[in-house]
Amino acid sequence: MAADKGVIDLDSQKHDRIHWKARCIDYWSKWRSCVASSNQFHKYYQYGEFEDCDIHQKDLKNCFLWKTRKSIDALDSLISRKQEEERKKSSEFANSVWEKRENPAKDWE
């Protein structure tokens, strides 16, 4: 087997990220919903410009590279993007601007 740069043989080398499961259909769904005309018109109405869907296309390409060729570079890219998305989601809830409460205010009827 020819040794390509960034491609490993799973039997001969262990990698801690290999057990991470990427589902390419999820990346395809994100890309497809991004490029949909309804989404693009909505983004144009909201922000005055169309949404750039290149990142979703890159994620889909990296998923296929990981699934077909076991490219570690593609896997690293997918994992770093996933961690970035999780960091963004967690920062939405981990702010100190508002006090979270379980019940409505006492003077609110």
Short mmCIF file of all heavy atoms in Angstrom, two decimals, residues 4-48:
data_model
loop_
_atom_site.label_atom_id
_atom_site.label_comp_id
_atom_site.label_asym_id
_atom_site.label_seq_id
_atom_site.Cartn_x
_atom_site.Cartn_y
_atom_site.Cartn_z
N ASP A 4 0.26 7.53 1.45
CA ASP A 4 -0.11 8.90 1.12
C ASP A 4 0.07 9.76 2.36
O ASP A 4 -0.11 9.31 3.48
CB ASP A 4 -1.57 8.99 0.67
CG ASP A 4 -1.79 8.30 -0.66
OD1 ASP A 4 -0.83 8.23 -1.44
OD2 ASP A 4 -2.90 7.82 -0.90
N LYS A 5 0.40 11.03 2.14
CA LYS A 5 0.55 11.95 3.26
C LYS A 5 -0.81 12.17 3.90
O LYS A 5 -1.77 12.52 3.25
CB LYS A 5 1.12 13.27 2.77
CG LYS A 5 1.36 14.25 3.88
CD LYS A 5 1.94 15.54 3.36
CE LYS A 5 2.15 16.49 4.51
NZ LYS A 5 2.63 17.76 4.08
N GLY A 6 -0.89 11.98 5.20
CA GLY A 6 -2.13 12.20 5.93
C GLY A 6 -3.07 11.02 5.91
O GLY A 6 -4.15 11.09 6.46
N VAL A 7 -2.69 9.90 5.29
CA VAL A 7 -3.55 8.72 5.24
C VAL A 7 -2.86 7.63 6.04
O VAL A 7 -1.67 7.41 5.91
CB VAL A 7 -3.79 8.25 3.79
CG1 VAL A 7 -4.63 7.00 3.77
CG2 VAL A 7 -4.44 9.35 2.99
N ILE A 8 -3.62 6.96 6.91
CA ILE A 8 -3.01 5.93 7.76
C ILE A 8 -3.65 4.58 7.50
O ILE A 8 -4.75 4.48 6.98
CB ILE A 8 -3.17 6.28 9.25
CG1 ILE A 8 -4.66 6.30 9.63
CG2 ILE A 8 -2.50 7.57 9.59
CD1 ILE A 8 -4.90 6.27 11.11
N ASP A 9 -2.95 3.56 7.88
CA ASP A 9 -3.48 2.20 7.87
C ASP A 9 -4.00 1.94 9.28
O ASP A 9 -3.24 1.93 10.24
CB ASP A 9 -2.37 1.22 7.50
CG ASP A 9 -2.88 -0.20 7.44
OD1 ASP A 9 -4.10 -0.39 7.43
OD2 ASP A 9 -2.03 -1.11 7.38
N LEU A 10 -5.31 1.71 9.40
CA LEU A 10 -5.92 1.59 10.71
C LEU A 10 -5.43 0.38 11.48
O LEU A 10 -5.42 0.37 12.70
CB LEU A 10 -7.44 1.55 10.59
CG LEU A 10 -8.07 2.82 10.03
CD1 LEU A 10 -9.57 2.65 9.95
CD2 LEU A 10 -7.73 4.01 10.89
N ASP A 11 -5.00 -0.67 10.79
CA ASP A 11 -4.55 -1.87 11.47
C ASP A 11 -3.16 -1.68 12.07
O ASP A 11 -2.85 -2.25 13.10
CB ASP A 11 -4.52 -3.05 10.50
CG ASP A 11 -5.93 -3.39 10.02
OD1 ASP A 11 -6.89 -3.20 10.78
OD2 ASP A 11 -6.03 -3.83 8.86
N SER A 12 -2.34 -0.87 11.44
CA SER A 12 -0.96 -0.76 11.90
C SER A 12 -0.72 0.39 12.87
O SER A 12 0.28 0.42 13.55
CB SER A 12 -0.02 -0.59 10.70
OG SER A 12 -0.30 0.64 10.06
N GLN A 13 -1.64 1.33 12.94
CA GLN A 13 -1.40 2.51 13.77
C GLN A 13 -2.68 2.88 14.50
O GLN A 13 -3.74 2.92 13.91
CB GLN A 13 -0.95 3.66 12.86
CG GLN A 13 -0.42 4.86 13.60
CD GLN A 13 0.09 5.90 12.62
OE1 GLN A 13 -0.11 5.81 11.43
NE2 GLN A 13 0.75 6.89 13.14
N LYS A 14 -2.57 3.15 15.80
CA LYS A 14 -3.74 3.53 16.57
C LYS A 14 -3.78 5.05 16.69
O LYS A 14 -2.77 5.69 16.84
CB LYS A 14 -3.70 2.90 17.95
CG LYS A 14 -3.82 1.41 17.90
CD LYS A 14 -4.24 0.87 19.20
CE LYS A 14 -4.32 -0.63 19.03
NZ LYS A 14 -5.42 -1.20 19.65
N HIS A 15 -4.98 5.56 16.62
CA HIS A 15 -5.18 7.00 16.68
C HIS A 15 -6.39 7.23 17.56
O HIS A 15 -7.42 6.61 17.37
CB HIS A 15 -5.40 7.53 15.26
CG HIS A 15 -5.13 8.98 15.13
ND1 HIS A 15 -6.08 9.91 15.37
CD2 HIS A 15 -4.02 9.65 14.78
CE1 HIS A 15 -5.58 11.11 15.17
NE2 HIS A 15 -4.32 10.97 14.82
N ASP A 16 -6.28 8.12 18.54
CA ASP A 16 -7.38 8.30 19.49
C ASP A 16 -8.63 8.90 18.87
O ASP A 16 -9.72 8.74 19.38
CB ASP A 16 -6.92 9.16 20.67
CG ASP A 16 -6.47 10.54 20.26
OD1 ASP A 16 -6.12 10.73 19.08
OD2 ASP A 16 -6.44 11.43 21.13
N ARG A 17 -8.51 9.57 17.74
CA ARG A 17 -9.67 10.19 17.12
C ARG A 17 -10.39 9.26 16.16
O ARG A 17 -11.43 9.61 15.63
CB ARG A 17 -9.24 11.45 16.38
CG ARG A 17 -8.73 12.50 17.34
CD ARG A 17 -7.99 13.53 16.59
NE ARG A 17 -6.75 12.94 16.12
CZ ARG A 17 -5.71 13.61 15.72
NH1 ARG A 17 -5.75 14.90 15.70
NH2 ARG A 17 -4.62 13.02 15.31
N ILE A 18 -9.87 8.08 15.93
CA ILE A 18 -10.45 7.17 14.94
C ILE A 18 -11.86 6.74 15.38
O ILE A 18 -12.72 6.50 14.55
CB ILE A 18 -9.53 5.96 14.73
CG1 ILE A 18 -8.32 6.43 13.94
CG2 ILE A 18 -10.25 4.84 14.01
CD1 ILE A 18 -7.26 5.40 13.78
N HIS A 19 -12.10 6.69 16.65
CA HIS A 19 -13.39 6.21 17.13
C HIS A 19 -14.48 7.28 17.02
O HIS A 19 -15.64 6.99 17.29
CB HIS A 19 -13.26 5.73 18.57
CG HIS A 19 -12.27 4.62 18.70
ND1 HIS A 19 -12.48 3.37 18.17
CD2 HIS A 19 -11.03 4.59 19.24
CE1 HIS A 19 -11.43 2.61 18.41
NE2 HIS A 19 -10.55 3.32 19.05
N TRP A 20 -14.10 8.48 16.63
CA TRP A 20 -15.09 9.53 16.44
C TRP A 20 -15.89 9.21 15.18
O TRP A 20 -15.35 8.95 14.12
CB TRP A 20 -14.37 10.87 16.31
CG TRP A 20 -15.31 12.01 16.23
CD1 TRP A 20 -15.98 12.59 17.27
CD2 TRP A 20 -15.67 12.74 15.06
NE1 TRP A 20 -16.73 13.62 16.82
CE2 TRP A 20 -16.57 13.74 15.47
CE3 TRP A 20 -15.34 12.65 13.73
CZ2 TRP A 20 -17.13 14.63 14.59
CZ3 TRP A 20 -15.89 13.54 12.85
CH2 TRP A 20 -16.77 14.52 13.28
N LYS A 21 -17.19 9.21 15.30
CA LYS A 21 -18.06 8.82 14.19
C LYS A 21 -18.56 10.05 13.45
O LYS A 21 -19.22 10.90 14.03
CB LYS A 21 -19.25 8.03 14.71
CG LYS A 21 -18.85 6.81 15.50
CD LYS A 21 -19.06 5.58 14.70
CE LYS A 21 -18.81 4.37 15.54
NZ LYS A 21 -17.86 3.50 15.07
N ALA A 22 -18.25 10.13 12.20
CA ALA A 22 -18.75 11.20 11.35
C ALA A 22 -19.85 10.63 10.47
O ALA A 22 -19.68 9.60 9.85
CB ALA A 22 -17.63 11.76 10.49
N ARG A 23 -20.98 11.31 10.44
CA ARG A 23 -22.08 10.90 9.57
C ARG A 23 -22.17 11.90 8.44
O ARG A 23 -22.57 13.04 8.64
CB ARG A 23 -23.38 10.86 10.35
CG ARG A 23 -23.41 9.75 11.37
CD ARG A 23 -24.72 9.68 12.04
NE ARG A 23 -25.79 9.90 11.06
CZ ARG A 23 -27.04 9.67 11.29
NH1 ARG A 23 -27.41 9.21 12.46
NH2 ARG A 23 -27.96 9.90 10.37
N CYS A 24 -21.83 11.46 7.25
CA CYS A 24 -21.80 12.36 6.11
C CYS A 24 -23.17 12.88 5.73
O CYS A 24 -23.29 13.98 5.19
CB CYS A 24 -21.13 11.68 4.92
SG CYS A 24 -19.40 11.27 5.23
N ILE A 25 -24.21 12.14 6.04
CA ILE A 25 -25.56 12.61 5.72
C ILE A 25 -25.90 13.87 6.52
O ILE A 25 -26.61 14.75 6.04
CB ILE A 25 -26.61 11.49 5.93
CG1 ILE A 25 -27.96 11.88 5.34
CG2 ILE A 25 -26.76 11.17 7.40
CD1 ILE A 25 -28.00 11.85 3.85
N ASP A 26 -25.36 13.98 7.73
CA ASP A 26 -25.59 15.19 8.53
C ASP A 26 -24.91 16.39 7.89
O ASP A 26 -25.49 17.49 7.83
CB ASP A 26 -25.06 15.00 9.95
CG ASP A 26 -25.82 13.93 10.72
OD1 ASP A 26 -26.98 13.65 10.36
OD2 ASP A 26 -25.25 13.39 11.68
N TYR A 27 -23.69 16.21 7.39
CA TYR A 27 -22.99 17.31 6.73
C TYR A 27 -23.67 17.66 5.41
O TYR A 27 -23.74 18.83 5.04
CB TYR A 27 -21.52 16.95 6.50
CG TYR A 27 -20.76 16.83 7.79
CD1 TYR A 27 -20.37 15.59 8.28
CD2 TYR A 27 -20.45 17.96 8.55
CE1 TYR A 27 -19.68 15.48 9.48
CE2 TYR A 27 -19.78 17.86 9.75
CZ TYR A 27 -19.40 16.62 10.19
OH TYR A 27 -18.73 16.51 11.37
N TRP A 28 -24.18 16.65 4.71
CA TRP A 28 -24.90 16.92 3.47
C TRP A 28 -26.17 17.71 3.76
O TRP A 28 -26.50 18.66 3.05
CB TRP A 28 -25.26 15.61 2.77
CG TRP A 28 -25.94 15.84 1.45
CD1 TRP A 28 -25.35 16.07 0.26
CD2 TRP A 28 -27.34 15.90 1.21
NE1 TRP A 28 -26.29 16.27 -0.71
CE2 TRP A 28 -27.53 16.17 -0.15
CE3 TRP A 28 -28.46 15.75 2.02
CZ2 TRP A 28 -28.79 16.28 -0.72
CZ3 TRP A 28 -29.71 15.87 1.45
CH2 TRP A 28 -29.86 16.13 0.10
N SER A 29 -26.88 17.37 4.83
CA SER A 29 -28.11 18.08 5.19
C SER A 29 -27.83 19.54 5.53
O SER A 29 -28.59 20.43 5.14
CB SER A 29 -28.79 17.40 6.38
OG SER A 29 -29.21 16.12 6.04
N LYS A 30 -26.75 19.78 6.28
CA LYS A 30 -26.39 21.17 6.61
C LYS A 30 -26.05 21.96 5.36
O LYS A 30 -26.47 23.10 5.20
CB LYS A 30 -25.20 21.20 7.58
CG LYS A 30 -25.55 20.82 8.98
CD LYS A 30 -24.33 20.93 9.86
CE LYS A 30 -24.63 20.49 11.28
NZ LYS A 30 -23.45 20.57 12.14
N TRP A 31 -25.28 21.35 4.46
CA TRP A 31 -24.91 22.04 3.22
C TRP A 31 -26.14 22.29 2.36
O TRP A 31 -26.34 23.38 1.84
CB TRP A 31 -23.88 21.21 2.44
CG TRP A 31 -23.61 21.78 1.09
CD1 TRP A 31 -22.83 22.86 0.81
CD2 TRP A 31 -24.13 21.32 -0.15
NE1 TRP A 31 -22.84 23.10 -0.54
CE2 TRP A 31 -23.63 22.16 -1.15
CE3 TRP A 31 -24.97 20.28 -0.50
CZ2 TRP A 31 -23.95 22.00 -2.48
CZ3 TRP A 31 -25.29 20.10 -1.83
CH2 TRP A 31 -24.77 20.96 -2.81
N ARG A 32 -27.01 21.28 2.24
CA ARG A 32 -28.19 21.40 1.39
C ARG A 32 -29.15 22.47 1.92
O ARG A 32 -29.70 23.24 1.16
CB ARG A 32 -28.91 20.04 1.31
CG ARG A 32 -30.09 20.03 0.38
CD ARG A 32 -29.62 20.23 -1.06
NE ARG A 32 -30.78 20.41 -1.90
CZ ARG A 32 -31.08 21.55 -2.53
NH1 ARG A 32 -30.31 22.60 -2.40
NH2 ARG A 32 -32.15 21.63 -3.26
N SER A 33 -29.34 22.54 3.23
CA SER A 33 -30.23 23.56 3.77
C SER A 33 -29.61 24.95 3.64
O SER A 33 -30.32 25.93 3.48
CB SER A 33 -30.57 23.26 5.23
OG SER A 33 -29.43 23.36 6.04
N CYS A 34 -28.29 25.02 3.66
CA CYS A 34 -27.61 26.32 3.49
C CYS A 34 -27.79 26.85 2.08
O CYS A 34 -28.05 28.04 1.88
CB CYS A 34 -26.14 26.19 3.83
SG CYS A 34 -25.22 27.73 3.71
N VAL A 35 -27.65 26.00 1.08
CA VAL A 35 -27.72 26.46 -0.31
C VAL A 35 -29.15 26.54 -0.84
O VAL A 35 -29.36 27.00 -1.96
CB VAL A 35 -26.88 25.57 -1.25
CG1 VAL A 35 -25.42 25.64 -0.89
CG2 VAL A 35 -27.38 24.16 -1.29
N ALA A 36 -30.13 26.13 -0.05
CA ALA A 36 -31.52 26.19 -0.49
C ALA A 36 -31.92 27.64 -0.75
O ALA A 36 -31.52 28.56 -0.03
CB ALA A 36 -32.43 25.58 0.57
N SER A 37 -32.71 27.84 -1.78
CA SER A 37 -33.10 29.20 -2.16
C SER A 37 -33.88 29.90 -1.06
O SER A 37 -33.70 31.10 -0.83
CB SER A 37 -33.90 29.18 -3.46
OG SER A 37 -35.05 28.39 -3.31
N SER A 38 -34.73 29.16 -0.34
CA SER A 38 -35.49 29.78 0.75
C SER A 38 -34.57 30.31 1.84
O SER A 38 -34.78 31.41 2.37
CB SER A 38 -36.50 28.79 1.32
OG SER A 38 -35.84 27.65 1.83
N ASN A 39 -33.55 29.54 2.18
CA ASN A 39 -32.58 29.99 3.19
C ASN A 39 -31.79 31.19 2.69
O ASN A 39 -31.58 32.15 3.43
CB ASN A 39 -31.63 28.85 3.56
CG ASN A 39 -30.60 29.29 4.57
OD1 ASN A 39 -30.93 29.74 5.66
ND2 ASN A 39 -29.33 29.19 4.21
N GLN A 40 -31.35 31.14 1.44
CA GLN A 40 -30.56 32.24 0.90
C GLN A 40 -31.36 33.54 0.83
O GLN A 40 -30.86 34.60 1.16
CB GLN A 40 -30.00 31.87 -0.48
CG GLN A 40 -28.93 30.81 -0.44
CD GLN A 40 -27.67 31.27 0.29
OE1 GLN A 40 -27.34 32.45 0.33
NE2 GLN A 40 -26.96 30.32 0.87
N PHE A 41 -32.63 33.46 0.42
CA PHE A 41 -33.46 34.66 0.39
C PHE A 41 -33.73 35.19 1.79
O PHE A 41 -33.76 36.39 2.02
CB PHE A 41 -34.78 34.39 -0.34
CG PHE A 41 -34.62 34.34 -1.83
CD1 PHE A 41 -35.10 33.25 -2.54
CD2 PHE A 41 -33.99 35.36 -2.53
CE1 PHE A 41 -34.95 33.19 -3.92
CE2 PHE A 41 -33.83 35.30 -3.90
CZ PHE A 41 -34.33 34.22 -4.60
N HIS A 42 -33.90 34.28 2.73
CA HIS A 42 -34.10 34.70 4.12
C HIS A 42 -32.86 35.43 4.64
O HIS A 42 -32.98 36.48 5.29
CB HIS A 42 -34.42 33.49 4.99
CG HIS A 42 -34.65 33.82 6.42
ND1 HIS A 42 -35.78 34.44 6.87
CD2 HIS A 42 -33.87 33.62 7.51
CE1 HIS A 42 -35.71 34.61 8.17
NE2 HIS A 42 -34.55 34.12 8.58
N LYS A 43 -31.69 34.88 4.39
CA LYS A 43 -30.44 35.53 4.84
C LYS A 43 -30.25 36.88 4.14
O LYS A 43 -29.77 37.84 4.74
CB LYS A 43 -29.22 34.63 4.58
CG LYS A 43 -29.24 33.36 5.39
CD LYS A 43 -29.20 33.64 6.87
CE LYS A 43 -29.19 32.33 7.64
NZ LYS A 43 -29.18 32.50 9.07
N TYR A 44 -30.62 36.95 2.87
CA TYR A 44 -30.51 38.21 2.14
C TYR A 44 -31.46 39.25 2.73
O TYR A 44 -31.10 40.41 2.88
CB TYR A 44 -30.79 38.00 0.65
CG TYR A 44 -30.51 39.22 -0.18
CD1 TYR A 44 -29.21 39.54 -0.53
CD2 TYR A 44 -31.53 40.05 -0.59
CE1 TYR A 44 -28.93 40.67 -1.28
CE2 TYR A 44 -31.27 41.19 -1.34
CZ TYR A 44 -29.97 41.49 -1.68
OH TYR A 44 -29.70 42.61 -2.40
N TYR A 45 -32.65 38.83 3.09
CA TYR A 45 -33.61 39.73 3.70
C TYR A 45 -33.12 40.19 5.07
O TYR A 45 -33.24 41.36 5.43
CB TYR A 45 -34.97 39.04 3.83
CG TYR A 45 -36.01 39.88 4.51
CD1 TYR A 45 -36.66 40.90 3.85
CD2 TYR A 45 -36.36 39.63 5.84
CE1 TYR A 45 -37.61 41.68 4.48
CE2 TYR A 45 -37.31 40.40 6.48
CZ TYR A 45 -37.94 41.42 5.79
OH TYR A 45 -38.88 42.18 6.43
N GLN A 46 -32.56 39.27 5.85
CA GLN A 46 -32.11 39.57 7.21
C GLN A 46 -30.86 40.44 7.23
O GLN A 46 -30.80 41.44 7.94
CB GLN A 46 -31.77 38.28 7.96
CG GLN A 46 -32.81 37.82 8.90
CD GLN A 46 -32.34 36.61 9.70
OE1 GLN A 46 -31.54 35.80 9.23
NE2 GLN A 46 -32.84 36.50 10.89
N TYR A 47 -29.85 40.05 6.47
CA TYR A 47 -28.53 40.66 6.59
C TYR A 47 -28.11 41.47 5.37
O TYR A 47 -27.05 42.10 5.38
CB TYR A 47 -27.47 39.59 6.86
CG TYR A 47 -27.77 38.78 8.11
CD1 TYR A 47 -28.13 37.45 8.02
CD2 TYR A 47 -27.70 39.35 9.37
CE1 TYR A 47 -28.41 36.69 9.15
CE2 TYR A 47 -27.98 38.62 10.51
CZ TYR A 47 -28.34 37.30 10.39
OH TYR A 47 -28.61 36.56 11.51
N GLY A 48 -28.88 41.40 4.29
CA GLY A 48 -28.53 42.15 3.09
C GLY A 48 -27.51 41.46 2.22
O GLY A 48 -27.01 42.06 1.26
#
